[in-house]
Amino acid sequence: MFFHRFLFNSPTHLFLLLILTTSSTNSADSSDKNSPSGPEINITKRISFPDFSPNNPRTINQDISLLGSAAISTENGCVHIPETNLQYSAGRAIFSSPIRMLDPNTRTPASFTTTFSFQFKNPSNTSGYTSGGLSFIIVPDEFTVGRAGPWLGMLNDACEDEYKEVAVEFDTRMNPEFGDPNDNHVGVNLGSIVSAAAVDASGFGVHLNDGSVHRAWITYDGPRKFLEIYLGPDGTVPPTRAIYSGNLDLSPYLNEYMFIGFSGSTGHNHTQVHSICSWNFTSVSKAFLRVPSSESCETKITLDSYKVVPSKTPSSFYIFVAVVVLLLVIMVNLYFNGKRKERNDSDEIAVVPKGKQRLSPPNRARKFSLAEISSATRGFGELQILGSDARSVTYKGTLLYGCNVVVKRFSSKFFSSRASDRRILIKEIKAIGKIRHPNIVSMRGWCFDRQETIVVYDFVPNGSLDKWLFGFGVLPWTRRFKVVKDVAEALSYLHSKDLAHKNVKTSSVFLDISFRALLGDFGFLLSSMESTRFESLVSQKVDVFEFGVLVLEVVSGRGRRSEPGELDLLDLAWAMHESEEKAKLVDRRMGPVVNPDQAIRVLEIGLMCTLNDNKGRPSMEEVVEYLNLERPIPDLPQSRPVSLFPYSSTTGLCSGYSCTPFK
């Protein structure tokens, strides 16, 4: 632990680590190349959980890791995900030791067979509705909890683009955006929530959410790359007909060693308890023994997957040079640490305590050092800049383990000399950092180093919504409608946590590789001069107002600002409503595939969000219900209200209808 902390304490140490790692890797690689392959052997691993009761020796020895909302029930000896009626939660039950799933030399996946019994129960207060599902998963780590909601706890928020994952899902909710055939299906997922293959379980007489105990049999032949899945009642032999069988190459989604287990999740409005009551697993992987050299004895035969110490030892001269360099690095480190301590002692504000920090899972926001941020952004290089405004500069960065991030560096000149301003900002950033929602860009962490205030977000590959609405291409109506619903879900979730976004606009909405909308680029308090106005004027009510304007932009394909002499978008929308010509506002570039009734309905919801707070402006929770057809939309007033804007324009805080603090 000391060596790890020492090496990462400065860029000089990082450089030394890279040198040591490179040299050791090269030596090992050269040894591997010179090592001939011997006879082939099988490595077998067996796991057996007849139940998960406290009396089971494997349970006592903590051979199963419970993450998130997963827990073992003392009543029936089953793993429950979630344990109780928890809304929007995710959990995993993972076997604690890694399993060899791939031969790295031949890239041949391991063969495995697993069978488990499971049951879905619906709490009595859900009236038969379910949300979520259960998956058998093969993942690269044993400490990460995936996303809640329809993501089944499979995807990893820490490094989604590079996250290797194989799963067999048993899903009781239909999500058309994921290609689900219905709300009772089995799917095979390879590094994505979108199933590579999905089968309707109803055609095999299986209803996953009927409350009965089911049993699944999954068999994979690694050399043949052939997968079979059987599903039937518990206590019986496997059915004669597989629910799925086909050729499937898992090798691109496997590391040599992986962790196996189960993941599950629930949604917002309705919940479901997933139980795993028994589990057996057997895997067989191929490996090669090494042929011993003439200088060694037969007892020193090792598996090819292990590294061999280089036989050639360095000369005494190189050892001397390495020792001298190491001593110099230690002396330089002690010198700069002393200087840093003197500067920290002279600071008026101790922003982050120097106490020992607990390591946090990779899907939790954490503190970054300034050296890490600088390395990720190539020293805040100009080529890394994505955008800038008067208050901050945004960079694209790449962390050491390969994940792309967005780094927002705030300008120090917008902080006042009072310590309370920065403490308020830090508190707000950390509160947002705890938020995890499928439609909110995850905050990876922050850096508070002397006068530096930096926020690190996940990088979303498809960029911001404004570039798709007003730039290249034309978004079809189905995707636009999905964007509106995604943003509404995100704001509703934020408001339920007593938080506000404070910067709702098309450039703050991002589209991932599946064109799912994620709300990001939060607004933050930046000076005491604005604090009173910020707290009193920019709040959840303004989020709703700005969401309404965003809806108009999405439906019309026009920006909120207009050319001189023309009506702004909000003025134009109300004028179209008064003349009963709202259909003319729908973006004609979408062509005939647009659903006009649905588009006009969404347009009316957007106008409703711009009503005065005391004249019918809904909450975001109500907006979600309107969009999901769960409640009728109230009638809009025939004409535009006299005092439309939520705050007086005479204060100078709002220009036109836009009251967002950052433009």
Side-chain angles (χ1 to χ4, degrees):
M1 179 61 72
F2 169 79
F3 181 68
H4 180 271
R5 292 178 60 191
F6 169 76
L7 286 176
F8 281 89
N9 202 28
S10 71
T12 306
H13 297 158
L14 182 59
F15 176 73
L16 177 61
L17 176 64
L18 293 175
I19 293 176
L20 294 175
T21 304
T22 303
S23 61
S24 63
T25 303
N26 292 338
S27 300
D29 290 344
S30 62
S31 299
D32 288 342
K33 291 178 182 178
N34 296 329
S35 301
S37 296
E40 184 180 82
I41 64 169
N42 290 332
I43 299 177
T44 304
K45 179 68 176 181
R46 291 184 177 89
I47 301 171
S48 178
F49 285 92
D51 56 57
F52 295 91
S53 66
N55 297 326
N56 189 326
R58 284 197 178 276
T59 306
I60 297 174
N61 295 332
Q62 297 181 339
D63 284 346
I64 197 82
S65 297
L66 302 174
L67 309 173
S69 62
I72 293 178
S73 171
T74 57
E75 297 180 1
N76 56 12
C78 298
V79 175
H80 289 177
I81 309 176
E83 181 182 14
T84 57
N85 181 13
L86 297 176
Q87 291 187 342
Y88 201 78
S89 63
R92 286 185 179 182
I94 302 292
F95 187 68
S96 301
S97 301
I99 308 295
R100 193 173 189 267
M101 298 299 295
L102 181 73
D103 179 10
N105 297 313
T106 63
R107 301 299 299 174
T108 302
S111 298
F112 65 86
T113 298
T114 185
T115 178
F116 50 90
S117 59
F118 64 97
Q119 180 184 34
F120 295 166
K121 287 186 178 180
N122 306 327
S124 58
N125 62 341
T126 62
S127 302
Y129 292 99
T130 61
S131 175
L134 178 74
S135 298
F136 169 74
I137 56 174
I138 305 174
V139 291
D141 66 80
E142 80 282 20
F143 51 79
T144 301
V145 180
R147 292 178 181 154
W151 277 261
L152 306 181
M154 287 192 299
L155 291 185
N156 182 309
D157 283 317
C159 204
E160 177 184 341
D161 294 340
E162 298 86 1
Y163 193 67
K164 291 188 175 182
E165 165 262 344
V166 175
V168 177
E169 66 173 45
F170 303 87
D171 199 351
T172 58
R173 178 161 183 155
M174 180 179 179
N175 294 96
E177 66 272 23
F178 298 153
D180 294 344
N182 60 7
D183 59 355
N184 183 51
H185 64 275
V186 177
V188 180
N189 299 68
L190 303 177
S192 171
I193 190 62
V194 179
S195 299
V199 181
D200 179 6
S202 305
F204 295 80
V206 177
H207 299 279
L208 297 172
N209 61 353
D210 61 3
S212 62
V213 180
H214 305 281
R215 178 166 288 276
W217 295 265
I218 303 173
T219 302
Y220 183 69
D221 188 324
R224 292 177 54 214
K225 298 180 174 58
F226 191 80
L227 177 69
E228 291 180 297
I229 303 173
Y230 296 86
L231 190 60
D234 188 34
T236 62
V237 297
T240 57
R241 187 164 64 113
I243 194 171
Y244 171 82
S245 62
N247 294 313
L248 209 61
D249 185 6
L250 303 185
S251 60
Y253 308 96
L254 297 175
N255 298 327
E256 180 176 5
Y257 286 91
M258 302 286 283
F259 290 85
I260 61 173
F262 302 89
S263 69
S265 67
T266 59
H268 277 301
N269 300 325
H270 311 295
T271 61
Q272 186 178 72
V273 177
H274 316 94
S275 302
I276 306 102
C277 298
S278 64
W279 179 30
N280 291 306
F281 178 89
T282 302
S283 67
V284 178
S285 59
K286 301 293 184 181
F288 292 89
L289 288 176
R290 286 189 174 172
V291 176
S293 67
S294 58
E295 299 177 357
S296 62
C297 62
E298 293 184 358
T299 58
K300 292 186 178 181
I301 297 176
T302 58
L303 291 179
D304 188 53
S305 58
Y306 290 99
K307 304 299 181 184
V308 178
V309 178
S311 59
K312 187 177 180 180
T313 58
S315 67
S316 58
F317 173 75
Y318 291 120
I319 295 176
F320 173 76
V321 171
V323 171
V324 171
V325 171
L326 183 60
L327 289 175
L328 287 175
V329 169
I330 293 174
M331 294 174 65
V332 171
N333 174 71
L334 294 175
Y335 174 78
F336 282 108
N337 278 348
K339 289 292 186 181
R340 185 182 301 134
K341 183 176 180 181
E342 292 176 4
R343 288 195 299 268
N344 289 342
D345 291 341
S346 62
D347 287 344
E348 292 182 4
I349 307 171
V351 177
V352 180
K354 284 189 165 185
K356 186 176 181 180
Q357 292 185 336
R358 294 178 56 190
L359 293 177
S360 58
N363 63 331
R364 299 283 181 88
R366 67 176 180 90
K367 176 192 173 186
F368 286 90
S369 68
L370 187 58
E372 287 179 283
I373 302 297
S374 179
S375 174
T377 58
R378 299 183 180 180
F380 299 102
E382 291 186 4
L383 295 178
Q384 301 298 111
I385 295 178
L386 297 175
S388 62
D389 54 34
R391 304 174 191 272
S392 62
V393 180
T394 303
Y395 302 84
K396 182 180 179 181
T398 304
L399 300 178
L400 286 176
Y401 47 88
C403 285
N404 293 325
V405 293
V406 173
V407 175
K408 189 165 187 175
R409 186 186 192 187
F410 291 100
S411 174
S412 60
K413 68 181 180 179
F414 287 97
F415 296 111
S416 74
S417 59
R418 296 197 311 174
S420 59
D421 295 333
R422 200 163 186 229
R423 282 198 293 266
I424 292 172
L425 174 62
I426 291 170
K427 182 178 179 181
E428 190 172 3
I429 289 175
K430 288 185 176 181
I432 297 298
K434 297 178 182 178
I435 296 297
R436 287 294 181 270
H437 187 275
N439 299 119
I440 295 177
V441 178
S442 296
M443 184 184 293
R444 188 64 61 86
W446 53 78
C447 174
F448 308 128
D449 191 309
R450 294 187 295 277
Q451 295 303 313
E452 289 286 357
T453 302
I454 300 172
V455 180
V456 182
Y457 294 101
D458 280 342
F459 178 78
V460 185
N462 271 338
S464 55
L465 175 62
D466 59 326
K467 293 183 174 54
W468 288 91
L469 282 178
F470 317 127
F472 45 83
V474 178
L475 277 178
W477 170 248
T478 53
R479 286 183 175 171
R480 297 194 196 200
F481 182 53
K482 184 65 169 56
V483 164
V484 171
K485 294 178 67 175
D486 287 347
V487 176
E489 289 278 3
L491 287 173
S492 177
Y493 181 75
L494 278 176
H495 292 183
S496 70
K497 300 297 182 181
D498 296 325
L499 296 169
H501 186 270
K502 307 168 186 174
N503 193 25
V504 180
K505 51 187 179 182
T506 53
S507 60
S508 299
V509 178
F510 302 88
L511 303 177
D512 69 2
I513 55 176
S514 62
F515 281 86
R516 172 171 50 101
L518 291 85
L519 188 59
D521 196 18
F522 286 79
F524 293 111
L525 171 64
L526 288 181
S527 73
S528 60
M529 179 184 67
E530 295 179 344
S531 61
T532 303
R533 296 173 180 176
F534 192 93
E535 293 299 327
S536 61
L537 301 180
V538 183
S539 63
Q540 296 179 4
K541 303 296 183 183
V542 176
D543 277 356
V544 178
F545 182 90
E546 292 293 338
F547 171 78
V549 180
L550 181 142
V551 168
L552 300 182
E553 293 180 279
V554 171
V555 175
S556 67
R558 307 184 187 193
R560 60 179 64 190
R561 299 300 179 197
S562 62
E563 297 295 330
E566 296 181 357
L567 292 176
D568 283 342
L569 178 59
L570 185 57
D571 298 330
L572 178 63
W574 275 105
M576 294 278 191
H577 170 67
E578 292 173 2
S579 60
E580 298 183 354
E581 296 178 318
K582 291 191 291 292
K584 294 183 178 180
L585 198 62
V586 178
D587 192 351
R588 296 181 180 178
R589 296 178 301 165
M590 293 186 290
V593 295
V594 66
N595 183 333
D597 294 335
Q598 191 180 56
I600 293 175
R601 176 186 173 86
V602 173
L603 193 64
E604 291 175 346
I605 293 173
L607 290 174
M608 187 185 310
C609 292
T610 64
L611 292 172
N612 292 340
D613 186 26
N614 59 350
K615 297 293 184 180
R617 186 185 305 178
S619 66
M620 286 309 305
E621 182 180 6
E622 293 172 329
V623 170
V624 171
E625 292 175 347
Y626 295 148
L627 292 171
N628 291 332
L629 303 178
E630 295 175 0
R631 66 161 63 189
I633 300 177
D635 293 332
L636 285 170
Q638 294 298 321
S639 60
R640 177 178 180 173
V642 176
S643 177
L644 176 65
F645 306 126
Y647 308 110
S648 171
S649 60
T650 59
T651 62
L653 295 176
C654 301
S655 174
Y657 56 79
S658 179
C659 294
T660 308
F662 304 112
K663 291 296 176 189

